Amino acid sequence: KQKFKTFSPPQKFAITEIHQRQNVLVSASTGTGKTLCGFLAILNELIDSSQKGILQDKIYCVYISPLKALNSDIAINLQMPLKEMEELAKKKFGIRVAVRTGDTTTAERQKMLKNIPHLLITTPESLSLLLTSPKFKENLKEVDWCIIDETHALAENKRGVQLSLALERLQYLSPGMARIGLSATIAPLEAIAQFVAGSDRDCKIINVPLLKQLDLKVL
């Protein structure tokens, strides 16, 4: 409320669906709060669990982006609001965020095995490697949500094929996992929704077209 006053249109439609563990595709233009839209319900649940003392040492959410540079920004954009909310609540929540990409150092990887992140930020390639790691694979067995950001950049190429396979393997380890696709405007939405959820699974489509609010005066 202090920062944004109200929810953006994609957030209004998506937050409840994500909270209810539905597979969702959110299609909206850049700058409409799509990424935060994916995380809001999840952060709400993690903070609630933390305050009740039932926050587990496990990965609750895997966030996947094709851009390594974006992943670092996402980590900062999660850690800052968490810090601000801790200051408002005057208590520590203990919610851990970690980035795992090809640039992650060996020391950081070892640290992740000891202190399991609640929110894991990664790329399609790194997720594929994590699923074959005997040590880390055990931490992917109770994931509640998987966010696939920049879906439009993955759906039509080889990286998308690799990601589809990795998501099915992740779903096999975490059968109750809900998938959240975040995409810029793209078509056909039904095909992209199937890419996000996988074959024979339902996926709710939240399509928010850009409606510019014009203040026009003719002189």
Side-chain angles (χ1 to χ4, degrees), residues 19 30 32 36 51 55 61 74 89 92 103 110 114 116 121 134-135 139 142 146 160 164 179 184 205 217:
H19 173 70
T30 303
T32 52
L36 187 57
Q51 292 185 316
L55 188 67
C61 173
I74 293 296
K92 295 284 185 182
D103 296 336
Q110 292 300 319
K114 292 178 182 176
I116 309 300
I121 299 167
K135 290 182 180 178
N139 298 317
E142 292 181 41
C146 181
S164 290
R179 304 187 192 185
I205 297 172
K217 185 177 182 181

Side-chain angles (χ1 to χ4, degrees), residues 6 17 19 21 27 61 72 81 83 89 128 134 141 150 157 203:
T6 187
E17 304 294 346
H19 173 70
R21 307 289 204 282
S27 173
C61 173
S72 299
K83 184 180 176 183
S128 296
K141 286 191 172 176
E150 304 290 325
N157 53 45
C203 183

Side-chain angles (χ1 to χ4, degrees), residues 113-156:
L113 288 169
K114 292 178 182 176
N115 294 310
I116 309 300
H118 300 110
L119 299 162
L120 176 66
I121 299 167
T122 189
T123 60
E125 292 78 12
S126 291
L127 176 62
S128 296
L129 290 173
L130 290 173
L131 286 162
T132 61
S133 166
K135 290 182 180 178
F136 203 91
K137 189 177 173 182
E138 293 299 307
N139 298 317
L140 296 170
K141 286 191 172 176
E142 292 181 41
V143 176
D144 292 306
W145 296 276
C146 181
I147 299 175
I148 304 109
D149 206 351
E150 304 290 325
T151 307
H152 55 279
L154 290 164
E156 60 181 4

Side-chain angles (χ1 to χ4, degrees), residues 23-25 64 66 124 146-168 171 177 179-183 186-203 205:
N23 294 324
V24 173
L25 170 63
I64 303 163
C146 181
I147 299 175
I148 304 109
D149 206 351
E150 304 290 325
T151 307
H152 55 279
L154 290 164
E156 60 181 4
N157 53 45
K158 290 179 181 178
R159 294 183 81 192
V161 176
Q162 181 186 24
L163 177 60
S164 290
L165 181 58
L167 288 173
E168 290 304 320
Q171 193 93 47
M177 182 183 76
R179 304 187 192 185
I180 303 152
L182 306 175
S183 175
I186 194 170
L189 282 173
E190 291 74 16
I192 306 302
Q194 188 178 35
F195 168 77
V196 168
S199 300
D200 303 320
R201 292 192 193 94
D202 292 332
C203 183
I205 297 172

